[in-house]
């Protein structure tokens, strides 16, 4: 059996180097009878048997061919597994989960569509992640408070389920002492209206899980809900975003707190045209127990590739509540 | 011969998808019967299940031979996938590539062969944008039904009259224009191009491609049989 596998690998590599590049029978007939233009191009993880992160050519094609052989074999291995172990056990198994994850990353990582970065801003914009698209953001922030220093890495992952609806999860991890996970945030965004892509309004619902260990100083000790309205408008070249949210603070772990209203405003100016912009924002709230006092942030974002951005920001508190200053840097990737 | 999206009318696409589901589903059923065996009643009883369930899906288990048969299908599929990448030049700036239907049907039988070709077509369409998503049903009907099951029965009947290698040769050759003819009919019924233009164009070029298909099929069948002889499998 192994010999057959190696024969297939050899054939696919040889095909990459020596196969004819002329159109095949159907394509030839289509060109001859001029209906070839009716064909629609589509995207796939490895279109035209080439890996997209390598320059087009024989090496790329031979690797894609080997990948195809492995995918084909994996389907039959999976069939044996299902027939042996039963489909229920398969769905539960970690191997299957891993394969599904690999498939999803492979399959969707190349079908990208434009979306928009929020990082480093706290203020959100009205855009939602494109349908079927994914957005991954990772940021590192070092925040100096009145009493302490906290280094937090936040991973945020969103998926667009409809043209105007996305769901996301945000997981912050504190690496300074005390180290551990902070409260995880889930959010859903639904775009209410949009005009010419430069004006729009979106509603967002956040749910914050109290999974941080408060006794170690992580998380707020509350399950919070937040309903937020987001309005964005382009004035000249500058994008203006306004957020207005009502936060329902749950009472948990014996901490008395009240609901509050949070409001933020942000400006984005395309200082490098399509490539990058500079941003500024102001954020405040009327909470009497203040988890998030007023602050101002300045930052910049730059596109390294059409779907990959890096960003950095500096923010400082406007009052003497908690935040003094904070530095952040991160990445934004759409796929 | 992978039809991309856009060549076929939605009605034809949907109809062909339905036909492909029937072909694939029936083949899957036949192969499942072949690779599994009824679980003995005493095992079922030990597991707390009554004899009434024997006929149901719980009553079938994968046999050792069945497991080997599926691995063999995987190997044939890998080989067909690789061989389909190899476009060989035909005259007038045209190329062709293997379908592999007769090869897999001769090695594995018509129904397992259909599954192998369907899986290869699905992988090509989903991962390599080779062949449309909506047109996948049509491609499966053309290559995994006409190019595999139908061509297998040509081989099956010819085998009784002439030596086996000649039967393989003839069936593999016929499979290509047959699949091309089916493809041309679908294009014609879609209104993409008139029948009187597309049928001669498709069949003529694929009659030539079929010659190469027949030669490669013979070579692959011999290679596969020789390679597996040492492992105690026909």
């Amino acid at each position: 059996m192994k010999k057959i596998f190696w024969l297939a690998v050899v054939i696919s590599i040889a095909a990459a180097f020596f196969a004819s590049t002329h159109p095949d029978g159907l394509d030839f007939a289509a060109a001859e009878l001029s209906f070839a233009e009716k064909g629609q191009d589509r995207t796939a993880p490895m279109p035209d048997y080439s890996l997209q992160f390598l320059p087009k050519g024989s090496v790329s094609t031979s690797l894609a061919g080997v990948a195809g052989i492995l995918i084909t074999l994996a389907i039959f291995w999976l069939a044996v597994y299902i027939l042996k172990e039963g489909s229920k056990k398969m769905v539960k198994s970690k191997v299957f989960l891993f394969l599904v994850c690999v498939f999803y990353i492979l399959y969707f990582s190349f079908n990208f569509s434009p979306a928009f970065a929020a990082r480093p801003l706290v203020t959100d914009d009205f855009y939602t992640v494109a349908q079927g698209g994914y957005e991954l953001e990772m940021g590192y922030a070092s925040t100096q408070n009145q009493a302490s220093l906290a280094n937090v890495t936040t991973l945020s992952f969103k998926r667009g389920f409809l043209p105007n609806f996305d769901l996301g999860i945000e997981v912050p991890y504190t690496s300074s002492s005390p180290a551990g996970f902070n409260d995880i945030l889930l959010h859903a965004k639904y775009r209410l209206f949009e005009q010419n892509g430069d004006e729009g309004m979106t509603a967002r619902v956040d749910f914050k899980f109290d999974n941080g260990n408060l006794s170690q100083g992580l998380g707020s000790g509350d399950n919070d809900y937040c309903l937020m309205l987001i309005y964005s408008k382009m004035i000249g070249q500058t994008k203006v975003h306004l957020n207005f949210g009502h936060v329902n603070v749950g009472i948990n772990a014996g901490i008395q707190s009240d609901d509050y209203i949070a409001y933020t405003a942000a400006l984005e100016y395309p200082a490098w045209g399509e490539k990058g912009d500079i941003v500024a924002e102001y954020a405040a709230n009327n909470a009497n127990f203040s988890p998030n006092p007023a602050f101002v942030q300045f930052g910049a974002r730059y596109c390294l590739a059409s779907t990959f951005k890096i960003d950095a920001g500096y923010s400082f508190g406007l009052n003497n509540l908690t935040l003094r200053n904070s530095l952040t840097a991160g990445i934004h990737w759409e796929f | 011969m992978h039809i991309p999206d856009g060549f076929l009318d939605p009605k034809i696409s949907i109809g062909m998808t339905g036909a492909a589901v029937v072909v694939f589903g029936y083949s899957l059923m036949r192969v499942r019967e072949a690779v599994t065996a009824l679980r003995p009643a005493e095992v079922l009883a030990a597991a707390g299940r009554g004899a009434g369930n024997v006929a149901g899906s719980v009553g079938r288990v994968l046999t050792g031979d069945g497991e080997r048969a599926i691995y063999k299908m995987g190997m044939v599929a890998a080989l067909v996938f690789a061989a389909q990448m190899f476009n060989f030049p035909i005259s007038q700036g045209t190329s062709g590539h293997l379908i592999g239907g007769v090869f897999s049907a001769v090695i594995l039988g018509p129904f397992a062969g259909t599954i192998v070709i369907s899986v290869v077509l699905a992988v090509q369409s989903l991962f390599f944008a080779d062949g449309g998503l909506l047109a996948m049903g049509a491609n499966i009907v053309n290559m995994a039904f006409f190019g595999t099951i139908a061509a297998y029965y040509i081989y099956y009947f010819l085998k009784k009259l002439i030596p086996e290698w000649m039967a393989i040769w003839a069936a593999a050759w016929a499979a290509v224009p047959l699949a091309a003819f089916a493809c041309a009919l679908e294009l014609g019924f879609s209104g993409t191009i008139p029948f009187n233009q597309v049928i001669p164009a498709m069949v003529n070029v694929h009659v030539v491609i079929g010659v190469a298909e027949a030669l490669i099929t013979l070579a692959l069948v011999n290679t596969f049989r020789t390679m597996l002889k040492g492992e105690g499998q026909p």
Side-chain angles (χ1 to χ4, degrees):
Chain A
M1 289 285 194
K2 274 183 190 156
K3 279 189 245 164
I4 306 285
F5 171 74
W6 290 114
L7 177 66
V9 169
V10 167
I11 291 175
S12 75
I13 292 172
F17 284 91
F18 302 115
S20 165
T21 51
H22 289 310
D24 77 357
L26 175 64
D27 293 334
F28 178 76
E32 192 94 310
L33 302 172
S34 58
F35 62 92
E37 73 278 2
K38 287 196 182 172
Q40 291 159 0
D41 274 340
R42 28 182 294 262
T43 56
M46 296 166 265
D48 298 325
Y49 300 89
S50 57
L51 297 173
Q52 297 195 330
F53 51 85
L54 287 176
K56 259 200 167 186
S58 300
V59 176
S60 171
T61 304
S62 46
L63 287 175
V66 173
I69 289 170
L70 292 176
I71 291 167
T72 312
L73 283 174
I75 290 169
F76 289 91
W77 278 328
L78 209 62
V80 169
Y81 190 90
I82 292 170
L83 285 167
K84 255 188 175 169
E85 310 286 342
S87 53
K88 274 182 196 151
K89 195 173 169 191
M90 177 205 63
V91 172
K92 278 186 202 151
S93 85
K94 281 176 186 144
V95 177
F96 181 70
L97 209 75
F98 174 75
L99 282 176
V100 169
C101 290
V102 168
F103 175 80
Y104 258 73
I105 290 167
L106 255 175
Y107 202 72
F108 289 102
S109 55
F110 301 105
N111 293 326
F112 40 70
S113 47
F116 303 87
R119 274 199 54 82
L121 297 173
V122 172
T123 310
D124 209 348
D125 51 42
F126 80 95
Y127 302 108
T128 53
V129 178
Q131 184 172 12
Y134 291 86
E135 184 191 289
L136 185 74
E137 285 187 337
M138 200 170 84
Y140 176 79
S142 181
T143 305
Q144 193 187 19
N145 292 326
Q146 296 297 350
S148 61
L149 182 85
N151 297 328
V152 180
T153 305
T154 306
L155 196 68
S156 147
F157 182 71
K158 293 180 191 169
R159 176 168 194 215
F161 284 92
L162 292 172
N164 64 339
F165 175 69
D166 68 28
L167 284 178
I169 181 167
E170 224 171 86
V171 184
Y173 180 79
T174 305
S175 50
S176 57
S177 173
F181 284 102
N182 276 318
D183 295 348
I184 286 176
L185 197 74
L186 293 181
H187 47 206
K189 267 174 95 172
Y190 188 85
R191 196 169 63 238
L192 302 167
F193 87 89
E194 180 188 356
Q195 214 168 23
N196 307 328
D198 58 10
E199 184 183 2
M201 189 180 253
T202 294
R204 190 176 115 177
V205 181
D206 293 358
F207 182 73
K208 195 184 77 184
F209 280 106
D210 171 35
N211 68 308
N213 190 338
L214 186 67
S215 63
Q216 291 181 358
L218 295 165
S220 69
D222 291 312
N223 287 313
D224 294 355
Y225 302 92
C226 169
L227 174 66
M228 189 151 75
L229 276 181
I230 301 157
Y231 175 75
S232 299
K233 187 171 169 62
M234 188 112 100
I235 301 173
Q237 280 190 297
T238 309
K239 282 179 193 156
V240 182
H241 306 295
L242 301 173
N243 288 189
F244 187 81
H246 181 263
V247 182
N248 186 326
V249 180
I251 296 173
N252 208 345
I255 289 190
Q256 179 74 45
S257 43
D258 292 312
D259 298 355
Y260 62 92
I261 286 171
Y263 38 94
T264 68
L267 298 175
E268 296 176 8
Y269 179 75
W272 297 283
E274 301 267 287
K275 277 276 175 197
D277 52 10
I278 50 173
V279 294
E281 77 176 332
Y282 168 77
N285 59 53
N286 71 345
N288 50 10
F289 165 78
S290 197
N292 222 352
F295 66 88
V296 167
Q297 176 166 224
F298 294 103
R301 307 191 284 223
Y302 193 77
C303 294
L304 292 180
S306 61
T307 57
F308 192 84
K309 289 178 188 176
I310 51 167
D311 63 71
Y314 170 70
S315 52
F316 55 93
L318 294 176
N319 45 35
N320 284 331
L321 282 169
T322 42
L323 179 81
R324 241 156 109 201
N325 49 49
S326 170
L327 271 173
T328 180
I331 57 163
H332 169 100
W333 183 36
E334 291 145 29
F335 55 98
Chain B
M1 206 191 307
H2 296 56
I3 305 173
D5 280 335
F7 275 16
L8 297 179
D9 183 67
K11 272 177 253 154
I12 301 290
S13 291
I14 292 166
M16 286 298 143
T17 306
V21 167
V22 171
V23 168
F24 187 77
Y26 181 74
S27 304
L28 208 57
M29 199 182 85
R30 290 291 295 262
V31 171
R32 196 166 163 276
E33 270 170 18
V35 296
T36 57
L38 280 179
R39 200 192 291 259
E42 55 269 27
V43 177
L44 279 175
R49 294 197 184 98
N53 276 346
V54 171
S57 60
V58 289
R60 296 200 81 91
V61 284
L62 184 66
T63 59
D65 281 347
E67 188 179 339
R68 277 191 291 280
I70 297 176
Y71 287 137
K72 201 164 142 193
M73 282 167 71
M75 285 302 166
V76 171
L79 206 54
V80 168
F81 177 89
Q84 288 206 359
M85 284 177 73
F86 211 122
N87 282 53
F88 41 82
I90 303 286
S91 59
Q92 308 162 325
T94 323
S95 73
H97 63 73
L98 188 81
I99 295 175
V102 173
F103 161 60
S104 41
V106 165
I107 296 288
L108 304 164
F111 299 106
T114 294
I115 287 176
V116 161
I117 302 298
S118 304
V119 166
V120 169
L121 290 171
V123 168
Q124 285 169 337
S125 173
L126 289 172
F127 288 89
F128 299 93
D130 191 7
L133 215 54
L134 296 171
M136 204 200 286
N139 285 325
I140 287 176
V141 170
N142 296 344
M143 286 178 267
F145 179 74
F146 288 108
T148 307
I149 295 183
Y152 174 81
Y153 282 103
I154 297 175
Y155 156 81
Y156 182 80
F157 288 116
L158 285 180
K159 197 171 66 166
K160 294 172 178 170
L161 308 172
I162 50 177
E164 198 200 5
W165 69 269
M166 282 168 77
I168 293 174
W169 199 98
W173 172 79
V176 182
L178 195 62
F181 182 68
C183 172
L185 284 186
E186 284 149 18
L187 292 170
F189 278 119
S190 297
T192 309
I193 186 86
F195 287 108
N196 58 3
Q197 290 178 24
V198 70
I199 292 175
M202 282 295 284
V203 173
N204 286 348
V205 68
H206 284 99
V207 162
V208 186
I209 294 174
V211 176
E213 166 100 17
L215 293 174
I216 297 172
T217 300
L218 266 181
L220 282 179
V221 168
N222 280 331
T223 312
F224 204 95
R225 283 180 176 168
T226 320
M227 276 187 163
L228 288 188
K229 208 172 256 171
E231 297 177 29
Q233 287 171 29

